Amino acid sequence: MDKSEIKRAFLCPADEFTPIPFWFWNDRLDEQEIARQIQEFYEKGVMGFVIHPRKGIPKDIPYLSDCFMHYVRFAVEEAAKRHMKVVLYDEAMYPSGSAHGMVVESNPDFASKCLRMEKKAYRQNNDIHPDCFMHNEKIIHSMVTDKQEILYFIEGFSEGTIRGIHEGEDDGEESAPRSADLLNPEAVETFINITHERYYEVLKEHFGKTVIAMFTDEPDILGRCHKEGVIPWTSGFLEFYLEHGGRMEDLPALWMEAGEQTETIRRNYRKVLNEKLRTVYYSRLSNWCVSHNIVLTGHPQNSYDIGMLNEFQIPGQDIVWRIVAPEHDKGIEGADTVMAKCSSDAARHRGYDRNANECFGCCGPDGVQWAFSMDDMKWYMDWLFVRGVNLLYPHAFYYSVDGEIRYGERPPDVGFQNIWWEYYGEISTYIKRLSWLMSGGYNTTPVAVLCEEDNLPWKIVRRLFQNQIEFNYLEMELLRSDKCRISNGNILIEKQKYKYLLVEDPALLTLDLKDKLALFVENGGDIILSSELNTDLLERDAVIMPSNKNLRVSHVVKDELHFYFMVNEGESRIKGEITVPVKGSAEVWDPWHGEINTAMLLTKTVETISVSISLDRRESLILCIDPKEKHPAETAKEKNKDADIPDKIIEVKNWRIRSDNKEINTKLIRCSEKGALESWTNWNGMRTVTGTVIYESEISGEIQGSSIWLDLGEVYELAHVYMNDQSCGSLFWAPYILEITDYIRPGQNLIRIEVTNTMANSKSDANRLSGLVGPVVIYCAEGQK
C-alpha cells in the first residue's frame, strides 16, 4: 500500500473498523421498528451491532422461542442487505452460561455449585464423617484442628442466579433464572446445545458472512446473589485440585489465614480453578465458534483475567460503573485500570489482530448515569485506543426508553436515543480511524511487565504511563512456553521484542523460568524489580519537554510508517516539544477532524527529530513519520488558539434566548427578559427539561485579525455554532473554542449558538447545569494570516 492509499485508509476508514454497539432489545419487538433502527445505525456509519436481549422484553416473546428467533433472523437479514455485521449474544441477560435458566431446568444437578467450610466443636468419639450435612449438600472432607474443632468442607449448590430479561427476573427477585455449573462439561454442552445450536439452526447461511462472532459475557461460576462465605466448586473438583498441586491440608487456608503460605495456597487454587473454567467452558465455546466459521468474543469476569483470553479470537474487557474515569487519576490508579492493556496485550502475544472493549456502561459522573456526556465518551475512547484496543462495543443503544424499567436499566443510551445522535457520524468515523490505526501493525516497546494469568500489576506501570514509556504485559505461562524465544538479549514473541522485563513481585521469578531468564540476562537483557525501577534508565521512545504526566503515547509501526499516537488524559493543555528516535518526513494527523498537515519540525540530529505539539484537553493527535522521505523545508505554522494571550478580545453580550421546541419556548418567554447567561435550570419550569435552546446576538464593529477564535466559556453540553447563518461546526467538550476566521464579514455579524443539555435532568431529575453559561468572547490574533 503506497502513502496516498494509507492516507485514504485513515481519512475514509473501512467499515470493518466500525463500532459494534450492544443493541438492547428491551421491549415488544416489531419488524418495522427493527428495520428503522438498523437504517439509523447505517446512516451514521455504525455498520454492526450485538443483538442483546435485555430487561423489558414481554413474557410472550420467550428467549430463543420461534417468535424471538423470527425477529433475530429478520434483523440479521436487514443487516445483510446493508453489508453490516452482527455479533450474537449468548445469554438473556447476563452473566453467560445458563440460557436464561434453561440449562438448570433441563437437569437440576446442572445448577452452579460451591464449597463452604463450617466449624464444629470436637468431642471424643463423635462421628466426623456424616453422610450428609444438610439437604443437597455433601461433606467431601473433614479434619480436626489444634483448637479441637472439626472443620467440615461441604459441597452444595451456590443458589446463584443470573439477571433475566422479563419483569420479576432481576437480582433478588423470585423468578431470577438459576445460574448453571460452568465447571461441569455436561452442563456446558447443554448450554451450547440450547443456545449456540439454536442460533445456527436459524441463521446457518449467515454464519461467517453477516454473523461474525458470538459474545460471551463475564461468566460467573457461583452466579449472582449466591450464598455468602462460599468459593467456586463442582462435583469431582477435589480430585482435579489434588492432581494439580493442591493438598487436603491446604483447604482451610482458602478461608482462614495460614501464615506465609496463605497467598501461595490461594494463588494455586485460583490457578487450578481458572484452568478448569478455561478447559470446560471457554475452550468448548471457542471450538464451537471456530468450527462454525465465526469467532469467540466477549470478556471474562475480572478486568485482569488475561489468561482466560487465550480462547478468544477477539479477546475483550469492559469498562463499567466509572471504575476507570478522568477524575482523581482513576485512569492509572487501581486494579481495573489494567483492562485495556489486558485485552490488547493478550491479542498481541497470541497473534490476534483485534481486541475489544464493552465500554461506557453506567459511566456517568457522580452516579448520575444519564449525565454521561460526549466529554466523557471522548476521554474513554482515547483511554482505550492509546492502550491498544481497536474494537469498541458501545454499551448500549436502547431499542426503547419507554418507562423506567427500560431507561433506568444500566443507563445511559449512548446511541440514537441520546442528544449526540445527530452528530454520531463524526463519532463513528473517529472510532474507525483509530481502530484502523491500532490494527494491522505492532507497538515497538522494548518493555515487558511480567504478570500472572489473573493478576496484572498496576502500581509499577503508573510511572511508565506518566513518563511516556510504553509497555506490554507478558504472562508467565507465555514466557515459559515455546512462543517466547530468547535471542541476543531480547524476549521475542509474535511481532514483539523486549529488552527489559519489569517485575513487581519477585515471587514471580520461579524456578521453572530460571534457565530462560538466565539466558536473557547473559545476553544483555535487563530484569528490573519494582524497588529498583528508574525510568530515566529505560530506553525512551518519546520524550516531551517540558515533561507532562498526563500525556500518553503509543508508538505503532504500520505499513512501514511510524505512528506516534498521543492522547491528553488531563484537564489542561499540553504544549511542548516531543523528540522521537525516528527520522523522516513528519506529519500531524488529526483523527477527529480528519486533517493531515506537515509537522512543525524544530530540530533534528543524526538519530532523532523534535516536533512541536499542542494537545488541548480531550484532544488526540497522531505524529506520522515516513523514514523513506525527507522532511520538507517549509513547515506548517501553529494556529494561535491561546485564549490567555490574544491581541484583541471582544465580549459578546445582549443575548436573545429562544427555542424552536414549543414546549420549551413557552417557558423561555417568561425568563428571557434577563438576557443573562446562566444555567437554564435557574429559570422557572426548566429544571427537568432536556432539549435545545438557541442563543443569538449581533456583534457590531469591525472584527479583524490573521485568525479569529470564538470561546464559548462554559457550555452544558453540546453547542452548534453559526455565524451569519453559516454553520461553523459543533463543539462537544471543553475547551469550547472554535476558529471563525472564514465566517466573519465586514460590519455587523450575527452569532447563533444552539445548545443541548444531557438527558440527566429529564431522566434522573438530577438538576445538572444546562445551556450556555459563558462568558462568550471573540479574540483575534494579529499578524499575517
Side-chain angles (χ1 to χ4, degrees), residues 62 221 370 399 514 655:
I221 301 173
W370 281 101
Y399 180 87
K514 180 181 177 181
W655 293 96

Side-chain angles (χ1 to χ4, degrees), residues 548-600:
N548 193 300
K549 68 177 185 177
N550 294 316
L551 179 67
R552 307 287 176 259
V553 180
S554 178
H555 178 190
V556 174
V557 176
K558 178 181 172 74
D559 294 320
E560 299 182 342
L561 298 179
H562 290 255
F563 296 94
Y564 286 86
F565 178 46
M566 294 175 281
V567 167
N568 183 352
E569 284 186 9
E571 297 300 313
S572 57
R573 179 178 300 175
I574 297 174
K575 187 175 176 64
E577 175 182 335
I578 188 166
T579 301
V580 298
V582 182
K583 288 184 63 179
S585 65
E587 295 174 326
V588 175
W589 294 18
D590 184 337
W592 182 260
H593 297 101
E595 298 175 353
I596 295 177
N597 295 293
T598 304
M600 186 176 178

Side-chain angles (χ1 to χ4, degrees), residues 171-359:
D171 288 340
E173 295 183 328
E174 184 175 351
S175 298
R178 292 289 300 276
S179 57
D181 184 355
L182 307 184
L183 304 179
N184 182 335
E186 293 183 27
V188 173
E189 287 300 324
T190 301
F191 169 62
I192 292 173
N193 289 333
I194 292 173
T195 306
H196 297 59
E197 293 292 348
R198 176 64 165 148
Y199 276 115
Y200 187 70
E201 174 191 11
V202 174
L203 301 169
K204 64 177 66 176
E205 70 269 31
H206 294 287
F207 269 57
K209 299 173 184 177
T210 301
V211 176
I212 60 171
M214 186 75 76
F215 193 110
T216 198
D217 199 359
E218 54 188 51
D220 186 339
I221 301 173
L222 291 171
R224 298 170 68 88
C225 305
H226 57 76
K227 293 176 183 176
E228 295 184 1
V230 300
I231 62 173
W233 204 259
T234 191
S235 299
F237 184 70
L238 180 61
E239 291 77 8
F240 188 81
Y241 176 64
L242 297 176
E243 289 171 4
H244 288 76
R247 303 178 303 168
M248 287 291 196
E249 55 265 38
D250 292 340
L251 291 177
L254 302 181
W255 285 267
M256 303 185 302
E257 290 298 317
E260 295 180 355
Q261 292 300 308
T262 303
E263 183 51 38
T264 300
I265 292 170
R266 293 177 182 177
R267 180 182 292 170
N268 184 60
Y269 162 75
R270 292 195 305 269
K271 183 176 179 180
V272 176
L273 183 71
N274 289 342
E275 177 62 15
K276 185 74 170 177
L277 181 63
R278 186 186 68 78
T279 56
V280 171
Y281 183 81
Y282 290 111
S283 180
R284 280 177 165 80
L285 267 59
S286 180
N287 291 338
W288 188 93
C289 289
V290 171
S291 68
H292 290 76
N293 203 28
I294 63 174
V295 301
L296 179 64
T297 188
H299 60 89
Q301 187 175 15
N302 296 313
S303 300
Y304 34 80
D305 281 340
I306 194 169
M308 293 297 185
L309 296 177
N310 187 67
E311 306 299 329
F312 290 77
Q313 289 76 47
I314 303 180
Q317 279 292 343
D318 72 332
I319 295 179
V320 292
W321 297 112
R322 213 172 175 94
I323 51 179
V324 175
E327 64 272 4
H328 311 309
D329 277 337
K330 289 173 70 175
I332 56 173
E333 292 278 344
D336 291 300
T337 62
V338 304
M339 69 170 66
K341 293 292 292 175
C342 178
S343 63
S344 64
D345 295 348
R348 286 178 174 123
H349 292 151
R350 291 166 173 80
Y352 298 135
D353 190 41
R354 305 299 296 274
N355 77 98
N357 194 279
E358 174 196 337
C359 46

